[in-house]
Amino acid sequence: DRIESSDIIARAYFIYYGFSALYTEPMQSCVKCLKRGFEVGVSNGDPFSAFFCAHQEIRVSLIGGGKLSTLLRESECYLTDAGQHNNTVAKKFFLIYQQTIRLLIDKGLSIQNGDGADELRQGESLCTTRLSETMNFLKALESFWLGYAERCHHYVLKLLETSFLGRHHRLVISFYHGINVFAMLKRQKASKLRQIPKNALVALKAAATNSSWNYGNKVHLLEAELSSYEGRSEDAQS
């Protein structure tokens, strides 16, 4: 509230709700504040911070289970706005998220060349490290939800092998890494795979101590899957 009338509010919202608050406040609350950050940034003539807020809003909402049809509509609006401001970096981020959302809605049947896929492919060789991280993160999510366990594992490893991986992406992807492994364990019994969900539980339990709302459900799901895999059916049901 103390910076409500300040020109720096959009940047403050981007930094706090896009990075720090995700560990203590419900993601849905962060999404609302990031949307406000975009609106304030645009009205105050700060498109740089505004589009960073918009990017984080789409990212956090997707991770937090936002409605895909709503996310698609919002990403299309942000993509149009970025084009009007000639913000090519923001456009690439929104194109990536838009394609992922379309894939999750209808397995990509609605993706056409006119949706900007050609423009994104042409620019892939010029990706910044953060753009590359986002692409691999979303590829891992797409693969998991479409049932491609080995492909998901591949993109997770690409992420985890990089030194620039963001802290929140690392935490979220640890959950998908852990839960995805159970599909792979049905076909192979490698001991190194069995350790992955246990490592994920350590990270998520630590995060849940600060925000049970955001991470407690992931802990419970991983614990249930691990109990089921180890033959402890009663623990899995509880």
Side-chain angles (χ1 to χ4, degrees):
D1 292 341
R2 288 177 293 180
I3 61 171
E4 188 67 26
S5 61
S6 172
D7 291 339
I8 68 169
I9 186 172
R11 188 161 300 187
Y13 272 36
F14 157 61
I15 294 172
Y16 180 67
Y17 291 106
F19 296 98
S20 299
L22 297 171
Y23 301 100
T24 57
E25 300 188 27
M27 288 190 192
Q28 294 78 5
S29 298
C30 294
V31 167
K32 292 180 180 178
C33 291
L34 288 165
K35 180 184 288 292
R36 169 150 176 75
F38 170 78
E39 295 168 350
V40 172
V42 170
S43 65
N44 285 349
D46 184 9
F48 176 84
S49 298
F51 284 116
F52 269 119
C53 283
H55 163 218
Q56 291 295 324
E57 178 200 337
I58 298 298
R59 182 186 79 87
V60 175
S61 187
L62 181 62
I63 292 172
K67 189 175 181 180
L68 292 176
S69 58
T70 300
L71 282 175
L72 180 60
R73 183 172 63 253
E74 291 182 346
S75 67
E76 289 172 343
C77 290
Y78 288 141
L79 182 59
T80 300
D81 291 340
Q84 293 173 347
H85 284 82
N86 198 29
N87 191 323
T88 56
V89 174
K91 283 180 64 178
K92 287 179 181 178
F93 275 107
F94 294 131
L95 280 170
I96 293 171
Y97 278 101
Q98 189 177 94
Q99 289 190 25
T100 293
I101 295 165
R102 289 184 184 277
L103 277 168
L104 296 178
I105 289 175
D106 60 12
K107 297 187 178 180
L109 295 177
S110 62
I111 295 178
Q112 301 174 358
N113 289 338
D115 294 326
D118 288 342
E119 178 182 347
L120 182 57
R121 281 195 292 269
Q122 291 169 3
E124 283 181 3
S125 61
L126 302 176
C127 284
T128 62
T129 55
R130 192 59 64 194
L131 191 62
S132 178
E133 174 189 336
T134 299
M135 293 175 69
N136 286 324
F137 178 82
L138 293 177
K139 287 293 184 183
L141 262 62
E142 292 170 13
S143 302
F144 174 81
W145 289 112
L146 295 177
Y148 303 127
E150 284 78 11
R151 187 184 302 176
C152 176
H153 187 69
H154 166 75
Y155 282 111
V156 169
L157 291 181
K158 286 188 68 174
L159 275 171
L160 296 178
E161 288 170 357
T162 58
S163 59
F164 53 80
L165 179 59
R167 179 187 171 198
H168 191 245
H169 271 171
R170 184 179 296 276
L171 177 61
V172 173
I173 210 63
S174 72
F175 166 72
Y176 283 97
H177 198 196
I179 206 74
N180 178 72
V181 158
F182 292 108
M184 299 176 64
L185 284 170
K186 294 178 181 178
R187 296 183 288 275
Q188 51 182 304
K189 304 298 183 182
S191 58
K192 62 180 180 180
L193 292 180
R194 292 196 294 269
Q195 187 60 36
I196 291 173
K198 296 177 181 179
N199 293 339
L201 271 172
V202 172
L204 290 163
K205 282 182 176 180
T209 60
N210 294 318
S211 178
S212 177
W213 178 277
N214 289 338
Y215 308 107
N217 57 339
K218 294 176 175 57
V219 169
H220 296 323
L221 182 55
L222 267 177
E223 287 179 331
E225 288 288 349
L226 186 59
S227 296
S228 177
Y229 173 77
E230 294 177 344
R232 295 180 284 114
S233 301
E234 292 185 359
D235 291 343
Q237 292 174 0
S238 62

